[in-house]
C-alpha cells in the first residue's frame, strides 16, 4: 500500500474529499458567501471580506440578483453586475409569464435581492 493510499484512508483523505466536493458543487458563475464560508470554515463576515477582496483583485465580479416574490416561483428573475443596477425599473418574471401567473410584473426596488460573485475568467494568468 502506497503512502497516498494510506493518507486517503485517514481523516486527511476525508478532509480533502469534502473540500473537493464543495469545489465541484460550486458554480463559478454563482459563488455565494456561504460557499466561501463553508470551504474555508470561517465566519460569514470574513468570507464576505474575502469575496470583496477577490473583487478588488479582479478575480471575482460582484452581482445582485432579484428574486421573484410569487410563492410558486421564488427564482432569480435577472441579475446585474452590482454597479449597473437601476432601481427605478420594472421586471417581468418570464417563468411566471410562461406559467400564466396573474402577477408577473414587479417593481425592482421592492424585490428581494441576493448578492453573489462570479469568477472573472478574463484575469491575466500571471497575476
Amino acid at each position: 500500500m502506497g503512502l497516498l493510499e494510506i493518507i486517503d484512508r485517514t481523516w486527511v483523505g476525508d478532509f480533502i474529499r469534502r473540500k473537493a466536493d464543495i469545489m465541484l458543487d460550486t458554480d463559478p458563475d454563482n459563488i455565494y458567501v456561504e460557499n466561501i464560508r463553508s470551504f474555508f470554515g470561517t465566519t460569514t463576515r470574513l468570507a464576505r471580506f474575502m469575496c470583496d477582496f477577490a473583487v478588488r483583485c479582479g478575480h471575482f465580479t460582484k452581482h445582485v440578483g432579484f428574486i421573484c416574490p410569487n410563492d410558486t416561483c421564488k427564482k432569480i428573475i435577472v441579475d446585474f453586475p452590482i454597479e449597473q443596477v437601476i432601481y427605478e425599473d420594472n421586471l417581468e418574471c418570464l417563468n411566471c409569464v410562461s406559467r400564466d401567473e396573474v402577477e408577473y410584473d414587479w417593481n425592482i426596488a421592492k424585490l428581494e435581492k441576493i448578492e453573489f460573485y462570479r469568477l472573472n475568467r478574463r484575469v491575466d494568468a500571471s497575476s
Side-chain angles (χ1 to χ4, degrees):
M1 184 179 304
L3 178 61
L4 292 179
E5 290 174 348
I6 293 170
I7 291 172
D8 195 41
R9 294 176 187 214
T10 66
W11 66 271
V12 175
D14 291 338
F15 176 79
I16 291 170
R17 261 190 302 286
R18 283 194 306 273
K19 296 300 181 189
D21 288 345
I22 291 171
M23 287 177 64
L24 289 172
D25 291 341
T26 301
D27 179 358
D29 289 329
N30 296 299
I31 302 170
Y32 296 95
V33 170
E34 175 58 23
N35 299 128
I36 303 302
R37 190 209 61 75
S38 177
F39 183 81
F40 289 106
T42 185
T43 64
T44 301
R45 185 175 177 179
L46 182 57
R48 184 177 312 282
F49 172 80
M50 293 166 75
C51 290
D52 289 337
F53 186 74
V55 170
R56 285 193 299 277
C57 291
H59 299 296
F60 287 176
T61 55
K62 189 171 185 177
H63 295 259
V64 61
F66 294 92
I67 301 171
C68 177
N70 266 340
D71 290 331
T72 57
C73 185
K74 297 292 185 190
K75 297 195 183 307
I76 294 179
I77 298 172
V78 68
D79 67 79
F80 299 103
I82 196 85
E83 64 276 355
Q84 294 178 3
V85 177
I86 301 171
Y87 287 98
E88 292 86 32
D89 253 346
N90 274 16
L91 294 175
E92 260 187 20
C93 177
L94 298 179
N95 189 45
C96 290
V97 170
S98 68
R99 290 184 298 124
D100 295 325
E101 295 283 346
V102 176
E103 294 185 76
Y104 55 85
D105 193 44
W106 311 99
N107 182 320
I108 197 169
K110 296 181 180 177
L111 293 176
E112 181 182 351
K113 64 182 179 179
I114 186 166
E115 290 181 354
F116 62 94
Y117 300 84
R118 231 172 234 158
L119 184 64
N120 187 357
R121 292 179 176 88
R122 292 178 284 179
V123 173
D124 182 10
S126 64
S127 60

